[in-house]
Amino acid sequence: AQKVTQAQTEISVVEKEDVTLDCVYETRDTTYYLFWYKQPPSGELVFLIRRNSFDEQNEISGRYSWNFQKSTSSFNFTITASQVVDSAVYFCALIMGGSEKLVFGKGTKLTVNP
Amino acid sequence: ETGVTQTPRHLVMGMTNKKSLKCEQHLGHNAMYWYKQSAKKPLELMFVYSLEERVENNSVPSRFSPECPNSSHLFLHLHTLQPEDSALYLCASSHSLAGDYNEQFFGPGTRLTVL
């Protein structure tokens, strides 16, 4: 069975702090993709990143960075110098090769206070 | 309009009503999805359509009936719902099926309340 666990239900930080959102996944497949989505209060999920199981390189995009470690089945997301606009619910998701089913974690609600 | 749009944004209905949710994607995608997002639960995939054919149905109760008349439009017809069906219903689209690892683009959702 496939499963995504986001152990942090809610996180609250002060603006300019760095924050890391944890994601741990379970799958027996060797081919899979991992995603992060952001859901602001407006409701729609915004795609942030996709990473395949064969590429363990970390990625940085502006203030966002992702750390993929197959050895610990983790795909953590770090926001550097957080801003109020980063306040949202963040979802980690997993899909296996050949499947149409994107499996989501329960999400982490991030609140960045001014 | 751009991206994925959903109407209505909010819907309140009684258990005996019949209503429909509409989704439209303006991205030229071939696959469309319905998800249910309940409080404190992971997003649940309900239906998947690829080129207007249903390819996934995750044991969804028959009181939810999807329709995909073309690759740009997706409907979710609702009848005799239960209060536990109250949730945010999200529509998404992707270039092709997610199995090809294409990211899904989501609409803003319809907040459904069943009284």
Side-chain angles (χ1 to χ4, degrees):
Chain A
Q2 295 77 39
K3 186 179 176 182
V4 175
T5 301
Q6 294 180 255
Q8 304 148 308
T9 306
E10 294 192 40
I11 300 176
S12 183
V13 299
V14 177
E15 209 169 16
K16 297 185 183 177
E17 281 186 31
D18 298 347
V19 58
T20 295
L21 310 181
D22 297 333
C23 173
V24 174
Y25 62 93
E26 295 176 28
T27 178
R28 293 181 181 175
D29 284 40
T30 56
T31 303
Y32 53 88
Y33 271 67
L34 296 162
F35 299 79
W36 274 96
Y37 282 87
K38 172 183 179 181
Q39 186 177 37
S42 54
E44 77 274 22
L45 275 77
V46 177
F47 166 78
L48 296 179
I49 190 172
R50 178 184 65 197
R51 172 67 72 220
N52 76 57
S53 53
F54 301 107
D55 181 3
E56 285 193 75
Q57 280 193 333
N58 292 331
E59 182 154 340
I60 298 175
S61 176
R63 297 183 297 107
Y64 295 171
S65 62
W66 291 268
N67 183 357
F68 176 29
Q69 292 197 346
K70 287 179 76 171
S71 60
T72 56
S73 297
S74 64
F75 186 43
N76 296 336
F77 172 32
T78 297
I79 301 175
T80 303
S82 60
Q83 299 176 2
V84 173
V85 293
D86 294 327
S87 297
V89 180
Y90 290 86
F91 291 93
C92 182
L94 164 73
I95 192 167
M96 277 58 65
S99 170
E100 296 80 32
K101 187 173 182 179
L102 196 57
V103 177
F104 284 86
K106 291 187 177 182
T108 297
K109 182 178 180 181
L110 173 66
T111 302
V112 181
N113 299 298
Chain B
E1 293 278 18
T2 59
V4 181
T5 57
Q6 290 185 245
T7 54
R9 293 295 307 276
H10 300 272
L11 178 62
V12 179
M13 59 187 288
M15 290 192 287
T16 57
N17 291 158
K18 288 185 180 180
K19 297 285 184 184
S20 296
L21 309 185
K22 179 183 176 182
C23 175
E24 185 173 1
Q25 58 94 1
H26 311 266
L27 301 167
H29 288 165
N30 295 316
M32 296 187 78
Y33 312 79
W34 278 116
Y35 287 87
K36 177 183 178 182
Q37 186 178 26
S38 305
K40 300 182 181 178
K41 279 188 176 182
L43 275 83
E44 302 170 61
L45 178 66
M46 300 175 74
F47 301 104
V48 179
Y49 276 83
S50 175
L51 297 172
E52 299 124 60
E53 285 192 22
R54 190 189 307 181
V55 295
E56 178 92 17
N57 175 358
N58 278 345
S59 302
V60 178
S62 59
R63 56 185 184 268
F64 295 92
S65 175
E67 178 191 0
C68 187
N70 55 62
S71 58
S72 298
H73 294 85
L74 185 64
F75 294 89
L76 188 62
H77 303 299
L78 318 170
H79 64 95
T80 58
L81 294 192
Q82 304 297 312
E84 59 264 29
D85 296 323
S86 298
L88 180 68
Y89 288 85
L90 291 162
C91 175
S93 70
S94 65
H95 179 69
S96 57
L97 287 180
D100 288 346
Y101 320 127
N102 288 299
E103 56 269 26
Q104 295 177 24
F105 293 82
F106 285 80
T110 294
R111 174 69 62 187
L112 174 67
T113 302
V114 181
L115 301 177

